[in-house]
Amino acid sequence: MMEIRRALEGLAAELAAMNATKEEIGRLYQANELFGESALHNDEEGIIKHDMHIHETIYAASKNVKLQAMINSLREQMQRFRAEYVHRIEDKTPLVNQHMEIIRQIEKGECHKANLAACDHIYTTGDSMLSLLVKTE
């Protein structure tokens, strides 16, 4: 599932870099700030809420309805992963920087770099979760 999510998230970020409005970019910055505050206080519910908002804003900014539908078909699995990951990982602050890199590249209209930043973010979270699972077994 993570490979599929990585490809779809990368494409969404790439398209968002081409199509995002100033309002959507503003919402991304605001959501990431709230995400950071939640991470700082280890507020798992807030982290999940604001993480979802960031990703959903990127999907909407892609302006690609078919892509959004494909991502939405993975929503339940992604939500379970997100909740488990947030619960298990100790230092959530690197996620703020990963989101910020994606947002900056979208704002600059750097399609390829936005794609790479999003793919890196999903790869890193998946890899971290795998490491956490191996440690607990």
Side-chain angles (χ1 to χ4, degrees):
M1 187 210 41
M2 292 306 288
E3 293 88 2
I4 294 167
R5 182 174 178 208
R6 185 170 54 243
L8 295 176
E9 294 267 352
L11 180 57
E14 181 176 333
L15 293 172
M18 286 191 275
N19 299 313
T21 64
K22 289 181 192 224
E23 292 78 18
E24 288 166 327
I25 291 168
R27 287 197 298 271
L28 286 168
Y29 277 112
Q30 181 180 32
N32 198 44
E33 186 175 322
L34 294 169
F35 179 90
E37 290 172 16
S38 295
L40 191 63
H41 296 32
N42 204 27
D43 171 11
E44 292 182 11
E45 189 175 307
I47 291 168
I48 291 168
K49 174 185 171 185
H50 299 301
D51 185 62
M52 284 179 53
H53 187 74
I54 291 165
H55 289 272
E56 288 172 357
T57 302
I58 292 170
Y59 309 152
S62 77
K63 309 292 191 278
N64 188 306
V65 178
K66 296 238 186 246
L67 176 61
Q68 291 173 50
M70 291 175 75
I71 292 170
N72 283 335
S73 72
L74 299 173
R75 182 179 303 270
E76 185 179 322
Q77 293 169 330
M78 289 175 7
Q79 196 56 13
R80 280 195 303 260
F81 176 86
R82 185 179 276 127
E84 190 64 29
Y85 179 76
V86 166
H87 179 71
R88 288 179 182 244
I89 193 161
E90 288 182 33
D91 184 12
K92 297 160 182 76
T93 55
L95 298 171
V96 178
N97 295 329
Q98 292 170 19
H99 287 151
M100 187 57 73
E101 181 61 20
I102 298 165
I103 295 165
R104 283 189 189 122
Q105 298 308 327
I106 289 171
E107 182 177 35
K108 292 192 298 188
E110 292 284 351
C111 300
H112 182 67
K113 290 180 180 178
N115 183 315
L116 290 175
C119 288
D120 186 55
H121 170 58
I122 300 304
Y123 178 80
T124 301
T125 56
D127 194 50
S128 295
M129 185 63 166
L130 261 164
S131 296
L132 289 169
L133 291 172
V134 168
K135 284 181 185 177
T136 59
E137 290 181 2

